Amino acid sequence: GECGGDSGSCSGCTDSEAFNYNDGCYDWDTGEEIDCTIDDGSCEYAPSEFELLTPEDDSLVIFDENTYDSITLQFTWEESTDQNDDEINYNIIITNIDNGEVVLDLTDIFEQETLPVPLSFIIDDPVDGENITFNWEVIAIDDSDADNGNPLITPSNSIFEFTLRYESLAFDENIIPED
């Protein structure tokens, strides 16, 4: 028979795109490398690659005291899929580049690959005229335990940056001449 009489010794995942592809198959009895030709349906796939959409990379959001509480940033990204039909969760991480502080780290099932985040959740106590730069990324996480008991993950193809700037509407009496 096949594989030195034991067809089970040469079965496995034969798709080179799979996470658990059997890169080299060996006859367990002889230790010799053999051709893996029997796919036993055990292939595990990481979530597919995907892109971030908004806020766009290098975007600038200017706000003032009147808009601070009303602006909501829409974080959107493409859908990631899983060839095993595993459920996909997304982890979104927003980091203040200036001080390294993670201001949001949330993992959930997002129905529409979008997360509205109020500006006030991202920045506290804005300083007039100051730019604060953030980056954001999303990681797709399947619900398998294919990686030694852990799920398979795929980070977004890029990490985007955006800048927030507070420009106060406060009136400066020194600007207007007295005449």
Side-chain angles (χ1 to χ4, degrees):
E2 276 185 71
C3 304
D6 181 8
S7 64
S9 66
C10 67
S11 67
C13 177
T14 61
D15 183 352
S16 63
E17 298 297 314
F19 170 78
N20 60 334
Y21 169 62
N22 293 1
D23 192 17
C25 292
Y26 298 90
D27 185 314
W28 298 113
D29 296 328
T30 66
E32 293 179 17
E33 190 166 350
I34 56 176
D35 179 25
C36 272
T37 57
I38 301 172
D39 189 335
D40 64 5
S42 66
C43 293
E44 286 289 339
Y45 298 91
S48 63
E49 292 183 353
F50 62 101
E51 298 288 342
L52 302 178
L53 301 174
T54 63
E56 293 180 10
D57 197 21
D58 297 322
S59 59
L60 172 64
V61 177
I62 299 172
F63 62 98
D64 58 41
E65 56 271 19
N66 292 337
T67 59
Y68 176 69
D69 289 323
S70 63
I71 291 179
T72 299
L73 299 176
Q74 293 292 332
F75 291 87
T76 61
W77 56 92
E78 293 177 341
E79 180 182 17
S80 176
T81 58
D82 187 285
Q83 289 185 29
N84 298 103
D85 292 326
D86 292 330
E87 186 173 81
I88 302 289
N89 289 312
Y90 295 98
N91 175 221
I92 181 169
I93 303 165
I94 303 171
T95 305
N96 180 326
I97 293 175
D98 299 331
N99 64 18
E101 177 187 355
V102 174
V103 296
L104 182 72
D105 186 345
L106 179 66
T107 300
D108 205 346
I109 300 169
F110 297 99
E111 297 290 326
Q112 302 295 321
E113 290 75 38
T114 185
L115 179 66
V117 179
L119 183 64
S120 58
F121 281 31
I122 299 173
I123 186 171
D124 296 333
D125 303 320
V127 176
D128 191 21
E130 181 179 76
N131 286 346
I132 300 178
T133 304
F134 298 84
N135 68 26
W136 71 284
E137 63 182 308
V138 175
I139 300 169
I141 307 165
D142 74 9
D143 67 349
S144 75
D145 58 2
D147 189 6
N148 295 319
N150 296 309
L152 299 177
I153 64 170
T154 301
S156 51
N157 288 335
S158 52
I159 297 174
F160 280 5
E161 291 185 4
F162 64 95
T163 300
L164 300 178
R165 182 169 60 226
Y166 176 66
E167 293 184 359
S168 176
L169 297 176
F171 180 71
D172 186 350
E173 293 178 12
N174 296 326
I175 294 177
I176 301 176
E178 291 183 23
D179 292 340

